[in-house]
Amino acid sequence: INADGCITDLGMEVSSLPLDPPLARAVIAAKELGCLPELVTIAGMLSAEKVFVGGGPASSAGQRPEKPKAIQRLEKEGMGDHILMLRIFNLWKYDNYRDDTIKSLQLSRQGMKFAREIRNQLRDIVSGNDHERSNS
């Protein structure tokens, strides 16, 4: 909103995206900076209610089941939660969205499929594509 209380062009663009304003603004900036595929993937992952099945019940000794080795390796890189989510999604993508990959990484099947759908919708909205979405 400008000083006169009118919505700006950027505000109109932000309001056209089905996201919280800060995330919508990040998507717009990502398009300008040439990193839209990465940002819409992160936005999709953040939009899913539950991505990680995680932890499970503690054993009688009070210990939680160990995280998958692939997740542990990514966490050790220390690149932050958003990059971790991007890299996890890409692991699944590069494995052709296989359900056994979701299971081996202890991810929520429903959450990951929701994240992929949101990712595809955002990509199409921002790119202006009205044609049928692909799974890429």
Side-chain angles (χ1 to χ4, degrees):
I1 298 179
N2 65 17
D4 297 326
C6 298
I7 192 164
T8 64
D9 290 342
L10 177 60
M12 289 295 290
E13 196 171 357
V14 165
S15 69
S16 73
L17 295 174
L19 296 168
D20 288 333
L23 193 52
R25 178 64 182 103
V27 168
I28 293 165
K31 183 178 180 184
E32 295 167 1
L33 296 170
C35 55
L36 183 63
E38 293 84 0
L39 207 293
V40 294
T41 298
I42 292 168
M45 293 288 278
L46 290 172
S47 296
E49 185 175 327
K50 184 177 182 180
V51 172
F52 298 98
V53 173
S59 69
S60 59
Q63 296 175 333
R64 298 226 177 258
E66 194 171 332
K67 291 179 186 176
K69 299 286 185 212
I71 301 292
Q72 289 180 27
R73 280 191 302 272
L74 292 174
E75 286 179 333
K76 283 182 183 178
E77 292 177 5
M79 306 260 322
D81 291 346
H82 295 126
I83 300 300
L84 176 66
M85 293 178 120
L86 173 65
R87 306 242 350 248
I88 288 169
F89 185 92
N90 285 340
L91 285 173
W92 182 47
K93 176 183 169 187
Y94 298 140
D95 206 17
N96 295 312
Y97 304 107
R98 293 174 27 160
D99 283 346
D100 60 331
T101 302
I102 290 172
K103 186 176 180 180
S104 72
L105 295 173
Q106 298 178 6
L107 303 173
S108 164
R109 180 178 185 272
Q110 181 178 358
M112 292 300 292
K113 291 187 182 248
F114 182 82
R116 181 175 64 180
E117 182 62 25
I118 294 300
R119 171 187 175 265
N120 290 343
Q121 288 177 17
L122 289 172
R123 183 193 60 219
D124 289 351
I125 290 168
V126 174
S127 299
N129 297 332
D130 291 331
H131 58 82
E132 187 175 327
R133 290 183 299 279
S134 68
N135 284 333
S136 61

